[in-house]
Amino acid sequence: MRLEPRPSSSMAATLLWPAGAILATILLSSLLVMIAGASPFTVFWLVVKGAAGSQFALLETFTRATPLIFTGLAVAVAFRARLWNIGAEAQLYLGAVMTVVLGTGAVALPSAGLIPVIMIAAMLTGALTLLGPAILKTRFGVDEVVTTLLLNFIVLLFVSMLLEGPLKDPTGMGWPQSKRMIADAQLPRLIKGKRLHFGFVLAVVSALIVWVIMKKTTLGYEMRAVGHNAEAARFAGIPVNRVIAKTALLSGGLAALAGFSEVAGLKGNLTLDLSPGYGYTGIVVAMLAMLNPLGVIVAAIFVAGIFVGADAMSRSANVPSYIAQVMVAISLLTMVAAIMLMRYRVRWR
Amino acid sequence: MDTADLPEAETVLRLTGITKRFGALVANDHISLALKRGEVVALLGENGAGKTTLMNILFGHYTADEGQIEVFGKALPSGDPNAALAAGIGMVHQHFALADQMTALENIVLGTRPLWSFNLGKAQARQRITQLASDYGLQVEPDRMIAELSVGERQRVEILKALYREARILILDEPTAVLTPMETEALFATLKKLVAAGLSVIFISHKLGEVQAVSDRVVVLRGGKLAGERKTSEATRRQLAELMVGGQLPVNEIGPSTSREILFELNNISTRSVGGAGLNGVSMQLRGGEITGLAGISGNGQAALAALIAGTLEARGGDIVVHGQKTVRWSPRAALDCGIGRIPEDRHATGMIGDMSVAENVISEAYRSPRFSRFGFLNWKAAASFASGIIKAYDVKCPSPEARVRLLSGGNMQKLILGRALDGDPDIIIASQPTRGLDVGAVAYVHARLIEARDRGAAVLLISEDLDEIQTLSDRIAVIHRGQLSRPSARGELSVMELGELMAGHGTEAGASHAA
């Protein structure tokens, strides 16, 4: 078996290969569903229905997609410049910490001023979180995969410490949780009485902004150049280290927005289970989107749909909702394979 | 065909009507070729003429869209490297396929026997390899790691690997590109012995001198088509060159220089070592209207000097003076701001970003100027029209400004780099190995552009390992040895032999006094 590079890939191919990957994902997870003793047709029907079958389901999917769009963008931006940010989880949590620090009454402003202030502060916190590993990388050659990954655990323990100490809600009956956000600091709901909040709009707008940055600006150009060939970029006079630092700031800031929007838009306070691994799932989302910022929206909704749908499905069919995790994992693998096949042609013998 | 008139030689390999298309590009267009026992056929052609594609088809790396291959009278199944090996075809690629952390012996034996019986045949293998090596003049030390071997030795290992597998037909892809003149001589001697022993050789090259020295017959490809076939003894160099480029060969004439003021100076510069020696107290002056040639054996500090001037290597001490002004902070950006046009040694690694488009690559040095961006937003229209301008002015063969640079040939990539570096008529130009790996047409083109720049008053520094090139173009020649420069000599002041002595490090007293 040999791989032969394809001279170019057509528009159709760039759409058909990912579609094939999704089909393969469904086929492979059908096997598991059958092993679990259920009919794949029923199960997938229930997943689709649970994810998009009603207004409630659809809104829930969008709600779940919101943090994934942010972390997916964070990863897509960083990976594009070959900054391997595995620490979106840490940046998310520190963004959330800054959100509750400022949003629980410490700052009093009208809502229209307070929310942007908190948002920017949260972004800066996440940005600085990733700046450290980026500087270690450019200055001393420390592998950012290691530093960002390990920071996740450090930050989680740090947050745990905060929630047991300075940030602990005195009226929380001893639970490790922060005080509630004041009303002025909370993001409005998009539809009265539903969970979908303004964070979703922010996420979609962020994706558009990131797309513009990557496509149209000198910064995006620099990031892509550094990602594709740092040596040639340096030769051409692109300040590689500074570009990596800027990438880190952007990526960390986006990941922190996930924390901000979850706290200010959905939960209202900070707990240790704020994120069921949104930072890591962001990697899957970014890969599924092939690092395209607009693709991230679609990929995040897809992944969120699987999670939400599987939850609903597991309640009615007797299949554990873990199938969602397996499906997301399989989709990552098939997608990586599809990207490979898009670029290379396989020749047998 | 005029090859059929030798009745005693059987045809060992016959390609008939080979056609290969990559999308719209026809890389091979009905190419037929016959190779006889005991003959060296040179496959001559410019980069992108289809030589390598043809050989990849023969060797099973690609499948031909049309055409047949016959080896020793039997049809060769297409698309199977093992079939080619089994039929007795061995190939030595331009970039060697050797495992660095294994010995020469292990590399030669690798793949010829099942892994679990690896050690059993070593003694036998060693004996055969020693025999082959002494028969054909392929000296290697079988127990040294590949990583420790010189490029010439690695090539000998590759040839031994093919012979060990009992190859009867040997294909060499640009074998001399990486060799010193002495190693090239030794390779040619080996080829003569191989042919005398009844092997047949296909020698892929774009260097006319070598083709004439080593081949019996020359097959010329141009633009994927068979451009002609000549007996080497009956063809002149000029005829071959014109077949290859398909028309009159451009002749560069270099007039007398009109030296002007000093535009660029290095004073007592030292650097750490990169890709060989670092610089050690180097001083040099570049004058407008002159090409200064820097000769030297590879690895003596050329890479460090080029990187220093380009701004990617920091000086440990000494001054860089541009246009009479001492520079404070030196970087690629600073070099560009001083108006230095830079042509890097490695097109793929340093010069271009393969996965980005032509337009994105040509603006990489100037994207921040108001020409291409405003308030941080890029003007892609301006970039595309700039790229189209270079494509047109420099005759770059590429479908559009949006095409990925990776898909271009080396010559076309170099033209893009020239276009980018010479944009805005820089008055200081540093060209590092600007014609390495290029074909005759592209070499002439690059030379013409450098001469043009010199004639309009630019100071050009030409770093090259090709002494011919240095002597043809340079108004002044300096020799670098172990990071030190010799006293520059005027055109024609020193003979090849005298330059060779300096390159080998004899006569450093002149260099020492200059560096002091």
Side-chain angles (χ1 to χ4, degrees), chain B residues 11 49 70 103 113 141 146 188 190-191 201 203 261 296 332-333 339 427 468:
Chain B
T11 300
E70 246 176 56
T103 65
R113 50 181 65 243
E141 291 169 60
I146 294 297
F188 288 174
T190 295
L191 293 186
V201 175
F203 182 92
E261 70 279 25
R333 194 77 253 151
D427 64 356
D468 276 352

Side-chain angles (χ1 to χ4, degrees), chain B residues 76-114:
Chain B
L76 186 76
S78 66
D80 183 2
N82 294 325
L85 277 172
I89 303 176
M91 182 152 182
V92 176
H93 290 274
Q94 202 173 352
H95 305 285
F96 305 137
L98 296 170
D100 273 0
Q101 295 305 320
M102 292 175 89
T103 65
L105 175 72
E106 287 165 340
N107 264 287
I108 292 168
V109 180
L110 193 65
T112 58
R113 50 181 65 243

Side-chain angles (χ1 to χ4, degrees), chain A residues 8-260:
Chain A
S8 62
S9 48
S10 65
M11 191 65 201
T14 46
L15 293 175
L16 280 175
W17 279 111
I22 291 169
L23 192 70
T25 305
I26 292 173
L27 289 176
L28 286 170
S29 28
S30 297
L31 285 176
L32 293 167
V33 169
M34 288 193 295
I35 291 169
S39 146
F41 292 104
T42 329
V43 165
F44 285 120
W45 173 239
L46 287 172
V47 170
V48 170
K49 219 172 80 172
S54 62
Q55 191 206 29
F56 170 80
L58 210 54
L59 291 180
E60 194 54 30
T61 297
F62 288 158
T63 309
R64 187 76 77 95
T66 302
L68 291 178
I69 294 175
F70 284 123
T71 55
L73 287 174
V75 172
V77 160
F79 280 20
R80 190 49 100 194
R82 290 200 164 237
L83 175 70
W84 306 117
N85 176 16
I86 315 294
E89 192 80 358
Q91 295 134 29
L92 178 154
Y93 268 107
L94 289 180
V97 165
M98 185 50 81
T99 305
V100 291
V101 165
L102 296 181
T104 50
V107 183
L109 276 173
S111 194
L114 184 58
I115 287 174
V117 165
I118 297 175
M119 193 173 110
I120 289 163
M123 281 185 83
L124 280 175
T125 314
L128 293 175
T129 313
L130 188 52
L131 187 62
I135 288 174
L136 286 174
K137 172 192 167 88
T138 53
R139 277 283 152 78
F140 306 109
V142 182
D143 190 338
E144 74 276 19
V145 172
V146 177
T147 48
T148 55
L149 179 66
L150 293 184
L151 258 182
N152 289 340
F153 304 105
I154 297 171
V155 164
L156 211 59
L157 289 169
F158 174 67
V159 172
S160 166
M161 186 198 83
L162 290 178
L163 291 181
E164 294 289 356
L167 288 185
K168 193 167 184 173
D169 180 4
T171 63
M173 323 256 287
W175 289 103
Q177 63 185 38
S178 76
K179 282 193 283 189
R180 289 202 67 78
M181 301 278 286
I182 58 174
D184 278 347
Q186 294 201 16
L187 293 175
R189 298 282 151 114
L190 289 184
I191 302 167
K192 222 180 162 73
K194 303 282 193 255
R195 273 157 53 91
L196 188 65
H197 53 90
F198 190 69
F200 182 70
V201 176
L202 279 179
V204 172
V205 171
S206 300
L208 286 170
I209 292 174
V210 170
W211 182 81
V212 169
I213 290 175
M214 297 310 292
K215 277 266 141 111
K216 309 270 180 196
T217 69
T218 52
L219 175 62
Y221 171 77
E222 290 172 331
M223 286 164 62
R224 286 183 290 125
V226 168
H228 283 309
N229 184 346
E231 189 189 331
R234 189 162 112 83
F235 179 84
I238 296 173
V240 173
N241 288 353
R242 231 180 305 158
V243 171
I244 290 175
K246 286 182 199 167
T247 307
L249 292 174
L250 183 57
S251 171
L254 285 164
L257 280 182
F260 161 77

Side-chain angles (χ1 to χ4, degrees), chain B residues 311-450:
Chain B
T312 52
L313 179 67
E314 236 175 294
R316 270 197 184 142
D319 298 320
I320 301 172
V321 182
V322 188
H323 298 134
Q325 279 191 314
K326 215 164 101 177
T327 57
V328 188
R329 278 185 60 89
W330 195 240
S331 68
R333 194 77 253 151
L336 287 167
D337 290 344
C338 289
I340 298 182
R342 308 160 312 149
I343 297 158
E345 178 177 343
D346 191 331
R347 291 184 276 283
H348 300 271
T350 327
M352 293 262 125
I353 301 170
D355 281 323
M356 290 175 91
S357 71
V358 170
E360 287 172 312
N361 269 285
V362 293
I363 62 163
S364 66
E365 289 179 353
Y367 66 97
R368 270 181 293 199
S369 80
R371 244 168 108 198
F372 297 121
S373 65
R374 197 157 291 186
F375 309 118
F377 280 84
L378 280 162
N379 181 347
W380 285 120
K381 260 192 202 148
S385 76
F386 177 54
S388 302
I390 288 182
I391 289 170
K392 213 164 163 200
Y394 288 80
D395 191 25
V396 182
K397 288 189 191 75
C398 83
S400 78
E402 279 76 46
R404 295 211 172 279
V405 164
R406 184 176 295 289
L407 302 172
L408 303 187
S409 71
N412 285 320
M413 238 186 241
Q414 192 70 329
K415 285 177 177 176
L416 285 183
I417 293 177
L418 270 178
R420 180 177 74 188
L422 300 184
D423 173 54
D425 294 340
D427 64 356
I428 303 162
I429 292 161
I430 159 140
S432 192
Q433 321 285 359
T435 58
R436 182 190 273 172
L438 298 189
D439 50 65
V440 188
V443 167
Y445 189 87
V446 171
H447 287 173
R449 290 287 171 155
L450 292 179

